[in-house]
Amino acid sequence: MVAEPSSPLKDKNYNLIWALHQSLENVWRLEGYIKDAESQGDEELVRWFRRIQENNQKAGDQGKQMLMARIQKENG
């Protein structure tokens, strides 16, 4: 098994920023999927994509709050 190279960036804050980025990118990307489903008249898929999008938006909002609190705490 090959070990993943270590990175000085791989710490808890880096991981938080990565997850935050992914959540917000998913919100953006899902908007296109929703439009595609709407244009094809698939309301079931539209509703499903919107639920996923809402969950990612909530995760993004929580991640932003966590990151701000951590930065403020670390900077005194």
Side-chain angles (χ1 to χ4, degrees):
M1 185 170 159
V2 177
E4 182 178 329
S6 64
S7 168
L9 297 177
K10 294 247 179 194
D11 65 13
K12 62 184 180 177
N13 289 335
Y14 172 88
N15 294 340
L16 172 58
I17 292 168
W18 180 88
L20 172 58
H21 169 77
Q22 292 301 311
S23 293
L24 296 177
E25 183 176 333
N26 286 342
V27 170
W28 171 79
R29 190 171 306 279
L30 282 159
E31 193 60 37
Y33 299 164
I34 290 166
K35 288 178 182 174
D36 289 346
E38 285 174 334
S39 71
Q40 296 176 22
D42 192 334
E43 286 303 313
E44 179 184 31
L45 197 52
V46 168
R47 287 189 302 273
W48 188 69
F49 284 147
R50 284 200 193 281
R51 284 194 306 269
I52 296 169
Q53 188 182 46
E54 288 169 8
N55 287 337
N56 276 270
Q57 184 65 53
K58 287 177 188 175
D61 291 342
Q62 290 170 349
K64 286 188 284 187
Q65 290 173 0
M66 288 175 61
L67 184 59
M68 287 187 332
R70 288 166 184 262
I71 289 171
Q72 288 173 348
K73 183 178 179 183
E74 289 175 7
N75 291 330

